Amino acid sequence: MKKIFFAVVMIASQMTFAQAGNENVSFSTGNFFTRANRPSSKDYVIDGSPYTSSKDFAKVIIANYSKDVQPLRYNAYEDEMEFSQNNETFFANKEEGLKINFPDLKKTYVCLNYRIDDKSKFGYLVLLQDGTKTKLYKREKVELLKGEKSPNAYGKDANDYYAKEKDVYLIYSNNSYYKIPKNMKDFVSLPLDNKEKISDFAKSNKINLSKEADLIKLVEFINQN
């Protein structure tokens, strides 16, 4: 009897814990706010930040969720959306295709299965241009680097630190993801329609593929032609 009672208590507590954060959510077809995983706590000091925008939780808009949905923040090191419940931080459950709009940050993240550098990923990309033909995304990433050791016994070792990696831009066309190449010749070799028009537009508008604003302008043109 004691074993049965203990099992019932454990199941009940797990169900309660798994539902953390979903009190303010309505009309959801998924389980975005029901993941019980928490970020691993580091027992030492790390300099920098794992967040690309702010460590503060910000207002979000998610289609089919209630207007008072929990504020979120994007942890670029873990590639996770975080929310706070009872002063504890939780990772939200990833849902394929879910769009999360941060109006104050003027950013929209989309949870996607994609490939980059011949590796499959399941995580969040920033949506920069949404079109019927082509979409433009940005991957934000933060890495954890080891601090340097002091060259002598009298100095202090530097702390490990978070460092933001260079943003990677991806174009989605014909059901595949491609990294934006460095030059226009390689860009027009991608499986795109109206290659000549694209090349002419890029020349006349002096498109620089290393500039985000120019990439948005270029993909917007592709979707209009």
Side-chain angles (χ1 to χ4, degrees), residues 13-206:
S13 63
Q14 287 173 2
M15 290 176 64
T16 301
F17 185 65
Q19 292 172 355
N22 70 354
E23 290 89 342
N24 296 329
V25 181
S26 61
F27 313 115
S28 168
T29 56
N31 301 304
F32 184 66
F33 285 97
T34 58
R35 184 173 177 183
N37 289 350
R38 289 191 296 241
S40 58
S41 58
K42 305 286 191 302
D43 56 358
Y44 62 99
V45 176
I46 301 176
D47 293 334
S49 172
Y51 308 104
T52 50
S53 294
S54 171
K55 66 178 182 180
D56 297 326
F57 294 96
K59 174 186 175 183
V60 296
I61 299 172
I62 305 175
N64 300 322
Y65 281 70
S66 62
K67 292 181 180 179
D68 57 348
V69 66
Q70 280 95 331
L72 297 171
R73 66 186 178 191
Y74 176 58
N75 186 325
Y77 173 69
E78 300 283 0
D79 195 13
E80 298 280 2
M81 286 291 170
E82 298 177 350
F83 67 94
S84 180
Q85 181 74 26
N86 298 325
N87 295 319
E88 289 189 89
T89 300
F90 297 87
F91 288 151
N93 193 39
K94 288 177 178 173
E95 293 185 13
E96 168 72 16
L98 190 71
K99 289 184 180 180
I100 305 166
N101 178 23
F102 288 79
D104 293 339
L105 301 177
K106 296 182 179 178
K107 272 185 180 181
T108 297
Y109 289 86
V110 188
C111 184
L112 295 166
N113 275 300
Y114 64 98
R115 287 186 67 80
I116 183 171
D117 298 328
D118 294 323
K119 293 180 181 178
S120 295
K121 303 285 185 180
F122 182 42
Y124 295 96
L125 297 174
V126 180
L127 178 63
L128 297 176
Q129 178 62 220
D130 192 6
T132 53
K133 291 182 180 179
T134 307
K135 301 179 192 296
L136 178 66
Y137 296 101
K138 175 172 66 175
R139 189 199 71 170
E140 299 175 328
K141 186 66 179 171
V142 168
E143 59 183 336
L144 181 60
L145 301 178
K146 297 291 290 183
E148 292 185 3
K149 295 286 186 181
S150 172
N152 56 66
Y154 300 100
K156 183 181 177 182
D157 294 342
N159 296 327
D160 291 353
Y161 62 98
Y162 291 111
K164 188 178 184 302
E165 294 183 12
K166 187 176 180 181
D167 293 330
V168 175
Y169 294 89
L170 300 171
I171 191 168
Y172 177 77
S173 179
N174 290 318
N175 299 316
S176 294
Y177 293 88
Y178 304 92
K179 285 175 72 172
I180 298 292
K182 294 180 180 180
N183 59 69
M184 189 54 61
K185 181 181 178 182
D186 291 337
F187 185 89
V188 294
S189 70
L190 298 175
L192 302 168
D193 297 328
N194 302 316
K195 294 177 184 290
E196 192 173 332
K197 279 187 178 181
I198 294 170
S199 184
D200 291 341
F201 176 83
K203 252 183 222 178
S204 60
N205 288 271
K206 297 180 180 178

